[in-house]
Amino acid sequence: MLFDHKSAWENEKIYNEIYQNSIKDPEAFWNCHLKDFYWKKKPISSFDKNSSEWSLNGISNVSYNCVDRHAINSPDKPALIWYGDEKGERRQISYNELKNMVIKIASLLKSEKIKNNDVVAIYMPMIPEAIAAMLACSRIGALHLVVFAGFSPEALAYRLESSKAKILLTVTSSRRGGKKIEILNNANCAVSKMTQPCKTLNLDNLQNLEVKINEEIYWQDNQDNLFILYTSGSSGNPKGIVHSALPYMLYTATTLKIILGINSDDIYFSTSDIGWITGHSYITYAPLFHGLTVVIFEGTPTYPEADRYWEIIENEKVSIFYSAPTAIRSLQMFDDALVKKHDLSSLKTLGSVGEPINKSAWEWYFNVVGNKQCPIMDTWWQTETGGIILAPLRNLEQKPCIAGKPFFGNIVKITDDYGNIITSSNSLGNLIINSNWPGKCRSTTYKSEKINFAPNKAFITGDGAIYDNNFDIKIIGRLDDVINISGHRLGTAEFECAINKVHSVKESAVVAVEDSIKGQTAFAYVVIEDIVNHEKIISEILKSTKRCIGPIAKPDFIVFVPDLPKTRSGKIIRHLLRDIANNHNYNEKDLSSVYNQEIVPILYKASQEPFFCPDICKLKR
């Protein structure tokens, strides 16, 4: 069977042939790519048909595959190139140096009695030590829990407590957009909130750390997990997604190899953060697995000028650039001269990740950044999937904003609300994955929140999608109670829990509204107990969301209302609130299920002039 072809993601005929073969025999497809690993004990097969699980009954180690074997074969090759917030800040870490960093942190963890299956939290900015800390955990079989350094102490404390983390790795501070962030202070504050505080270790001066070196490696098998990563859930608290070690590594490494068409000499630059799944799969694990040189950036794309990305691409001769639509839209607002003054001819592939990209941003990305010479891989996937599920074919005959085709072995469908498969084009439905794949998350740490697996074992993604006229898939956006703000998935229940902590608030409901830069932003309907100072309540709401979640969770719009639309059983009718917030005419809606219909015109009128909250101030939209 044809399974491993260099044109697998460029030529539609070859893609179709490989895809059909991979659906007929997924085990044969994945067995073909097991050869990319170093195996301590080679697996017999990759798929257990009896349990429908990826068994990978061999023995290996993710960290060894990402670091040690490259340190042996290409010790001086750059593994990481770091750029800081200020211009001129640059560090280059070879694979041999990265190996030494990983061993030193692993030895430190071993000295603290950390063993396999223990949870080690990482609360750090985008620096080489953070990636080394992730790899050090994998080296000794510990699970890492990376928490985005922009999250508040309260949000960090919840993740530490619920995951039962034993150690928290952090640094003193970071700089972003010219501002200093007191990371250690936040970390200490979070630990002080825990009922069973974990120990905090500062990795500021790793090179001066005196520790007895322990080069022991924990060899992982199919039962071992790699990490926990928290994402939004339908409950008030985020859920901890658990990913396996070897099956996850197989999936992410294979998708990067085939979809982005990497070569060993590629210079790879992803602008994500390790606090999110993209930073795990496509900054740390898959690129280093293949021995690429990975560029990481601690700053913001517009500080001190809006050409930081283009300057880095020119300096390092970046060939693959993977970013988010929010960043692309924000940079599109500046003069094209900021792009054109830099030589970006090294680019061969552009990527988009985190949310659907709009047509205007896609065209600017293709025409101005890529100079019409680079395909845009508009990838779709989620924390739960581990790696890319949908992507367009890698050629210059692309359709803007179309996520495209499922990766090999994946059966992706669109269904209506009753579970019936949609077979017509341009009909909005629920995106589901009706197959098993190695990157699928293994479980969740939040016991009352189940992974969205339907009775037929299909994974319900929560995203809406349509087929175009050629039956390629276009992602429309979230259909559930999740807001995608600049690629950060946040549950509306998380917002509401924070808002409801404000003393004068009786009830609240938060929905997503479309935003030209962020993709989506939060619109809060707030019911207060009596007439109070609105500006004071707004200030308290913004402080509460920042304290409970972090600065990224600030609602941009707040409207005070006397009640919320509900069914007779008392359930809030969120889709109606979402429509009203997005200026859709409620008169066109079926309101028969609304028990208190008299509130609807009041909500609509109030929503036309909400309080707009870029800072803690009262402005009109």
Side-chain angles (χ1 to χ4, degrees):
M1 284 185 178
L2 176 66
F3 278 135
D4 196 6
H5 196 285
K6 289 186 177 180
S7 301
W9 215 263
E10 296 174 359
N11 183 292
E12 187 157 7
K13 181 180 178 181
I14 295 174
Y15 164 82
N16 288 333
E17 183 178 355
I18 296 178
Y19 179 74
Q20 292 302 324
N21 287 336
S22 73
I23 296 302
K24 292 175 185 176
D25 194 348
E27 181 180 15
F29 173 81
W30 290 109
N31 283 346
C32 176
H33 297 281
L34 293 176
K35 66 181 185 302
D36 293 341
F37 273 77
Y38 166 85
W39 294 100
K40 186 79 169 177
K41 175 189 173 185
K42 290 186 177 181
I44 300 171
S45 64
S46 61
F47 189 66
D48 184 345
K49 293 180 180 178
N50 294 323
S51 64
S52 295
E53 292 296 334
W54 296 95
S55 59
L56 289 189
N57 46 17
I59 296 176
S60 187
N61 178 273
V62 169
S63 183
Y64 186 92
N65 276 276
C66 291
V67 182
D68 295 58
R69 62 174 177 164
H70 305 309
I72 294 170
N73 297 323
S74 306
D76 298 325
K77 180 178 180 177
L80 301 173
I81 298 175
W82 169 86
Y83 275 79
D85 193 47
E86 299 292 340
K87 284 197 172 186
E89 293 181 322
R90 180 186 184 276
R91 290 169 61 196
Q92 182 169 303
I93 311 293
S94 71
Y95 270 98
N96 193 55
E97 290 169 330
L98 180 59
K99 177 186 174 183
N100 291 335
M101 290 172 66
V102 170
I103 290 175
K104 182 164 278 192
I105 297 174
S107 299
L108 175 64
L109 294 174
K110 294 286 281 186
S111 70
E112 295 291 339
K113 310 301 181 185
I114 295 297
K115 58 185 183 301
N116 64 297
N117 291 323
D118 286 343
V119 177
V120 175
I122 300 169
Y123 187 61
M124 298 170 69
M126 280 301 296
I127 56 177
E129 287 77 6
I131 291 176
M134 296 169 68
L135 293 161
C137 293
S138 169
R139 186 180 183 87
I140 63 173
L143 279 71
H144 61 68
L145 164 64
V146 180
V147 180
F148 176 52
F151 274 133
S152 68
E154 191 164 321
L156 173 60
Y158 169 78
R159 288 158 173 79
L160 294 174
E161 193 89 67
S162 62
S163 67
K164 298 180 173 58
K166 292 192 173 182
I167 294 285
L168 173 60
L169 301 178
T170 190
V171 292
T172 301
S173 63
S174 175
R175 295 191 65 85
R176 189 169 176 83
K179 299 178 180 179
K180 187 177 182 181
I181 303 170
E182 299 291 351
I183 293 178
L184 182 59
N185 287 348
N186 289 342
N188 289 335
C189 181
V191 171
S192 70
K193 296 176 182 293
M194 298 175 65
T195 54
Q196 293 183 318
C198 62
K199 185 173 183 178
T200 301
L201 298 177
N202 191 330
L203 297 184
D204 264 352
N205 299 306
L206 185 60
Q207 65 274 18
N208 298 327
L209 182 67
E210 293 186 8
V211 61
K212 184 178 180 181
I213 297 300
N214 185 339
E215 297 200 32
E216 178 184 349
I217 295 176
Y218 176 81
W219 294 102
Q220 297 155 325
D221 62 26
N222 186 65
Q223 300 305 313
D224 289 301
N225 291 321
L226 182 62
F227 64 84
I228 303 171
L229 186 61
Y230 279 78
T231 188
S232 57
S234 59
S235 64
N237 291 313
K239 57 186 178 184
I241 297 296
V242 181
H243 274 287
S244 62
L246 302 182
Y248 162 86
M249 187 72 261
L250 173 64
Y251 190 79
T252 56
T254 306
T255 50
L256 180 74
K257 176 179 70 172
I258 293 177
I259 293 176
L260 294 182
I262 61 168
N263 294 314
S264 60
D265 58 350
D266 276 324
I267 308 297
Y268 175 90
F269 180 19
S270 173
T271 65
S272 184
D273 187 281
I274 60 166
W276 310 107
I277 188 63
T278 303
H280 286 56
S281 299
Y282 298 113
I283 291 182
T284 301
Y285 288 113
L288 293 176
F289 178 92
H290 288 293
L292 303 185
T293 295
V294 181
V295 177
I296 60 175
F297 180 40
E298 190 179 353
T300 64
T302 58
Y303 177 83
E305 296 177 83
D307 66 341
R308 290 303 303 276
Y309 287 168
W310 324 131
E311 178 186 55
I312 292 170
I313 292 171
E314 179 181 32
N315 289 348
E316 304 302 334
K317 301 295 185 288
V318 170
S319 53
I320 299 175
F321 180 65
Y322 198 29
S323 194
T326 298
I328 296 163
R329 285 191 293 266
S330 66
L331 294 170
Q332 182 187 2
M333 298 172 61
F334 294 88
D335 194 319
D336 290 354
L338 284 172
V339 181
K340 294 178 179 178
K341 76 176 186 178
H342 296 284
D343 180 5
L344 307 185
S345 61
S346 60
L347 288 171
K348 70 174 188 181
T349 302
L350 300 174
S352 175
V353 62
E355 57 185 299
I357 189 171
N358 58 299
K359 186 176 180 182
S360 172
W362 191 100
E363 291 176 340
W364 182 83
Y365 200 26
F366 180 78
N367 294 326
V368 179
V369 179
N371 195 30
K372 301 181 180 180
Q373 300 298 311
C374 301
I376 295 177
M377 306 311 292
D378 182 10
T379 61
W380 178 90
W381 54 295
Q382 297 178 332
T383 304
E384 292 88 341
T385 73
I388 299 168
I389 296 292
L390 298 173
L393 295 185
R394 195 178 60 252
N395 55 53
L396 294 180
E397 299 174 0
Q398 292 183 314
K399 294 172 286 189
C401 313
I402 299 295
K405 301 182 182 297
F407 189 70
F408 302 123
N410 289 324
I411 301 173
V412 182
K413 300 291 184 182
I414 300 174
T415 66
D416 62 21
D417 290 340
Y418 301 99
N420 301 311
I421 295 175
I422 293 175
T423 57
S424 59
S425 61
N426 301 310
S427 296
L428 178 63
N430 304 285
L431 187 73
I432 68 166
I433 307 172
N434 200 11
S435 56
N436 265 306
W437 67 102
K440 180 181 70 178
C441 66
R442 182 164 282 180
S443 62
T444 171
T445 60
Y446 195 63
K447 302 303 181 184
S448 63
E449 175 99 37
K450 294 182 179 179
I451 302 296
N452 287 335
F453 286 105
N456 62 354
K457 295 189 177 179
F459 174 65
I460 303 170
T461 68
D463 273 352
I466 61 173
Y467 292 117
D468 71 1
N469 292 331
N470 295 319
F471 288 91
D472 284 337
I473 294 174
K474 179 178 181 178
I475 304 298
I476 302 301
R478 299 299 297 182
L479 295 177
D480 58 10
D481 295 324
V482 172
I483 304 178
N484 197 326
I485 302 175
S486 301
H488 308 322
R489 282 176 58 190
L490 299 170
T492 56
E494 295 176 67
F495 282 95
E496 291 160 11
C497 284
I499 293 171
N500 293 346
K501 289 182 179 181
V502 175
H503 177 70
S504 299
V505 173
K506 183 179 179 181
E507 191 176 22
S508 67
V510 176
V511 297
V513 293
E514 302 307 310
D515 184 86
S516 60
I517 299 298
K518 299 177 183 178
Q520 290 183 327
T521 190
F523 191 114
Y525 294 88
V526 181
V527 180
I528 52 181
E529 293 179 347
D530 48 34
I531 297 175
V532 294
N533 185 323
H534 286 172
E535 289 189 358
K536 181 180 178 182
I537 295 296
I538 290 172
S539 174
E540 291 178 359
I541 287 173
L542 297 180
K543 288 177 182 177
S544 184
T545 54
K546 181 179 180 180
R547 181 180 67 253
C548 295
I549 308 172
I552 61 172
K554 172 180 65 63
D556 279 11
F557 301 101
I558 297 175
V559 60
F560 295 102
V561 293
D563 200 1
L564 299 171
K566 297 175 183 176
T567 64
R568 288 186 177 274
S569 63
K571 183 178 180 181
I572 297 172
I573 304 175
R574 295 178 183 277
H575 68 83
L576 178 59
L577 291 174
R578 191 183 301 119
D579 286 343
I580 291 174
N582 284 283
N583 292 318
H584 297 161
N585 193 337
Y586 70 90
N587 288 321
E588 300 174 358
K589 304 296 179 182
D590 179 5
L591 302 180
S592 60
S593 63
V594 184
Y595 174 67
N596 51 343
Q597 292 184 21
E598 71 281 356
I599 197 66
V600 177
I602 298 173
L603 291 170
Y604 187 79
K605 183 177 179 181
S607 297
Q608 299 307 298
E609 291 190 345
F611 295 96
F612 175 48
C613 312
D615 298 299
I616 303 179
C617 61
K618 177 181 176 182
L619 297 173
K620 297 295 184 183
R621 176 160 61 168

